[in-house]
Short mmCIF file of all heavy atoms in Angstrom, two decimals:
data_model
loop_
_atom_site.label_atom_id
_atom_site.label_comp_id
_atom_site.label_asym_id
_atom_site.label_seq_id
_atom_site.Cartn_x
_atom_site.Cartn_y
_atom_site.Cartn_z
N ALA A 965 -4.69 -13.47 -6.87
CA ALA A 965 -3.41 -13.88 -7.40
C ALA A 965 -2.51 -14.35 -6.26
O ALA A 965 -2.76 -14.05 -5.10
CB ALA A 965 -2.75 -12.71 -8.13
N VAL A 969 7.19 -12.58 -5.92
CA VAL A 969 8.24 -11.71 -5.39
C VAL A 969 9.41 -11.60 -6.35
O VAL A 969 9.58 -12.41 -7.25
CB VAL A 969 8.73 -12.22 -4.01
CG1 VAL A 969 7.61 -12.13 -2.99
CG2 VAL A 969 9.27 -13.63 -4.10
N GLU A 970 10.22 -10.57 -6.10
CA GLU A 970 11.46 -10.38 -6.84
C GLU A 970 12.50 -9.82 -5.89
O GLU A 970 12.18 -9.38 -4.78
CB GLU A 970 11.24 -9.44 -8.03
CG GLU A 970 10.69 -8.09 -7.66
CD GLU A 970 10.20 -7.30 -8.86
OE1 GLU A 970 10.20 -7.83 -9.99
OE2 GLU A 970 9.81 -6.16 -8.67
N GLY A 971 13.74 -9.84 -6.30
CA GLY A 971 14.82 -9.37 -5.46
C GLY A 971 14.71 -7.89 -5.12
O GLY A 971 14.00 -7.13 -5.77
N LEU A 972 15.42 -7.49 -4.09
CA LEU A 972 15.34 -6.13 -3.58
C LEU A 972 15.81 -5.10 -4.62
O LEU A 972 15.27 -3.99 -4.67
CB LEU A 972 16.17 -6.02 -2.30
CG LEU A 972 15.81 -4.90 -1.35
CD1 LEU A 972 14.33 -4.92 -0.99
CD2 LEU A 972 16.65 -4.99 -0.10
N ALA A 990 9.14 11.40 0.97
CA ALA A 990 8.75 10.03 0.61
C ALA A 990 9.89 9.33 -0.13
O ALA A 990 10.19 8.17 0.14
CB ALA A 990 7.47 10.04 -0.22
N PHE A 997 14.51 2.92 3.73
CA PHE A 997 13.86 1.64 4.01
C PHE A 997 14.50 0.51 3.19
O PHE A 997 14.82 -0.55 3.73
CB PHE A 997 12.36 1.72 3.71
CG PHE A 997 11.66 0.41 3.87
CD1 PHE A 997 11.38 -0.10 5.13
CD2 PHE A 997 11.27 -0.32 2.75
CE1 PHE A 997 10.74 -1.32 5.27
CE2 PHE A 997 10.62 -1.53 2.89
CZ PHE A 997 10.35 -2.03 4.16
N ILE A 998 14.71 0.74 1.91
CA ILE A 998 15.33 -0.28 1.05
C ILE A 998 16.74 -0.57 1.54
O ILE A 998 17.17 -1.74 1.60
CB ILE A 998 15.34 0.18 -0.43
CG1 ILE A 998 13.92 0.32 -0.96
CG2 ILE A 998 16.17 -0.75 -1.29
CD1 ILE A 998 13.14 -0.97 -1.14
N PRO A 1006 18.97 -9.60 4.50
CA PRO A 1006 19.55 -9.99 3.21
C PRO A 1006 18.74 -11.13 2.59
O PRO A 1006 18.28 -12.04 3.27
CB PRO A 1006 20.97 -10.44 3.57
CG PRO A 1006 20.99 -10.61 5.04
CD PRO A 1006 19.87 -9.82 5.62
N ASN A 1017 -6.18 4.51 -8.19
CA ASN A 1017 -7.51 5.09 -8.04
C ASN A 1017 -8.47 4.09 -7.41
O ASN A 1017 -9.58 3.87 -7.90
CB ASN A 1017 -8.05 5.59 -9.39
CG ASN A 1017 -9.34 6.36 -9.24
OD1 ASN A 1017 -9.62 6.97 -8.22
ND2 ASN A 1017 -10.15 6.32 -10.27
N PHE A 1021 -13.50 -2.60 -3.83
CA PHE A 1021 -12.42 -3.47 -3.37
C PHE A 1021 -11.70 -4.16 -4.53
O PHE A 1021 -12.27 -4.45 -5.56
CB PHE A 1021 -12.94 -4.49 -2.36
CG PHE A 1021 -13.71 -5.64 -2.95
CD1 PHE A 1021 -13.06 -6.78 -3.40
CD2 PHE A 1021 -15.09 -5.60 -3.04
CE1 PHE A 1021 -13.75 -7.85 -3.93
CE2 PHE A 1021 -15.80 -6.67 -3.56
CZ PHE A 1021 -15.13 -7.79 -4.01
N VAL A 1022 -10.40 -4.37 -4.29
CA VAL A 1022 -9.54 -5.10 -5.21
C VAL A 1022 -8.89 -6.22 -4.41
O VAL A 1022 -8.23 -5.96 -3.40
CB VAL A 1022 -8.44 -4.19 -5.80
CG1 VAL A 1022 -7.50 -4.98 -6.69
CG2 VAL A 1022 -9.05 -3.03 -6.54
N ALA A 1033 5.50 -2.08 3.50
CA ALA A 1033 5.50 -0.63 3.32
C ALA A 1033 4.31 -0.22 2.46
O ALA A 1033 3.81 -1.01 1.66
CB ALA A 1033 6.81 -0.17 2.67
N LYS A 1037 -0.94 8.40 -2.46
CA LYS A 1037 -1.11 9.81 -2.76
C LYS A 1037 -2.56 10.05 -3.18
O LYS A 1037 -3.05 9.43 -4.12
CB LYS A 1037 -0.17 10.29 -3.87
CG LYS A 1037 -0.34 11.79 -4.11
CD LYS A 1037 0.73 12.36 -4.99
CE LYS A 1037 0.48 13.87 -5.10
NZ LYS A 1037 1.53 14.55 -5.80
N LYS A 1038 -3.19 10.94 -2.44
CA LYS A 1038 -4.57 11.31 -2.74
C LYS A 1038 -4.59 12.10 -4.03
O LYS A 1038 -3.68 12.88 -4.31
CB LYS A 1038 -5.11 12.17 -1.59
CG LYS A 1038 -6.50 12.70 -1.77
CD LYS A 1038 -7.49 11.75 -1.16
CE LYS A 1038 -8.86 12.36 -0.97
NZ LYS A 1038 -9.54 12.68 -2.20
N ASN A 1040 -6.23 14.95 -6.69
CA ASN A 1040 -6.44 16.38 -6.47
C ASN A 1040 -7.90 16.69 -6.16
O ASN A 1040 -8.58 17.38 -6.91
CB ASN A 1040 -5.95 17.17 -7.68
CG ASN A 1040 -5.85 18.65 -7.38
OD1 ASN A 1040 -5.81 19.05 -6.22
ND2 ASN A 1040 -5.81 19.46 -8.41
N THR A 1043 -12.29 15.57 -1.21
CA THR A 1043 -13.29 14.62 -0.70
C THR A 1043 -12.59 13.56 0.14
O THR A 1043 -11.63 12.94 -0.32
CB THR A 1043 -14.05 13.96 -1.86
OG1 THR A 1043 -14.63 14.99 -2.66
CG2 THR A 1043 -15.13 13.04 -1.34
N ASP A 1056 -14.25 -6.94 0.89
CA ASP A 1056 -14.09 -5.98 1.98
C ASP A 1056 -15.36 -5.83 2.81
O ASP A 1056 -15.63 -4.79 3.36
CB ASP A 1056 -13.67 -4.61 1.42
CG ASP A 1056 -14.76 -3.97 0.57
OD1 ASP A 1056 -15.74 -4.66 0.21
OD2 ASP A 1056 -14.63 -2.78 0.26
N LEU A 1064 -5.44 -2.20 8.44
CA LEU A 1064 -4.85 -0.86 8.38
C LEU A 1064 -5.81 0.09 7.69
O LEU A 1064 -6.43 -0.27 6.68
CB LEU A 1064 -3.53 -0.89 7.60
CG LEU A 1064 -2.44 -1.82 8.11
CD1 LEU A 1064 -1.36 -2.00 7.08
CD2 LEU A 1064 -1.86 -1.28 9.39
N ALA A 1071 -6.62 17.31 -0.63
CA ALA A 1071 -6.12 17.09 -1.98
C ALA A 1071 -4.61 16.88 -1.96
O ALA A 1071 -3.88 17.58 -1.26
CB ALA A 1071 -6.48 18.28 -2.87
N GLY A 1082 7.21 -6.52 9.02
CA GLY A 1082 6.03 -6.96 8.29
C GLY A 1082 4.81 -7.08 9.18
O GLY A 1082 4.91 -7.43 10.35
N ALA A 1086 -3.11 -13.26 7.21
CA ALA A 1086 -3.22 -14.72 7.12
C ALA A 1086 -3.98 -15.20 5.88
O ALA A 1086 -3.65 -16.24 5.32
CB ALA A 1086 -3.89 -15.27 8.37
N THR A 1096 -15.78 6.87 4.79
CA THR A 1096 -15.57 7.11 6.21
C THR A 1096 -14.64 6.03 6.77
O THR A 1096 -14.50 4.96 6.17
CB THR A 1096 -16.90 7.08 7.02
OG1 THR A 1096 -17.47 5.78 6.93
CG2 THR A 1096 -17.87 8.13 6.50
N SER A 1097 -14.06 6.29 7.93
CA SER A 1097 -13.10 5.34 8.49
C SER A 1097 -13.77 4.05 8.96
O SER A 1097 -13.15 3.00 8.92
CB SER A 1097 -12.33 5.98 9.65
OG SER A 1097 -13.21 6.33 10.69
N GLY A 1111 -0.73 4.78 -5.69
CA GLY A 1111 0.50 4.47 -4.96
C GLY A 1111 0.87 3.02 -5.08
O GLY A 1111 0.66 2.40 -6.14
#
Side-chain angles (χ1 to χ4, degrees):
V969 295
E970 57 193 4
L972 203 53
F997 175 75
I998 296 291
N1017 187 28
F1021 77 87
V1022 177
K1037 182 169 183 173
K1038 177 92 165 66
N1040 193 18
T1043 304
D1056 66 347
L1064 302 166
T1096 64
S1097 63

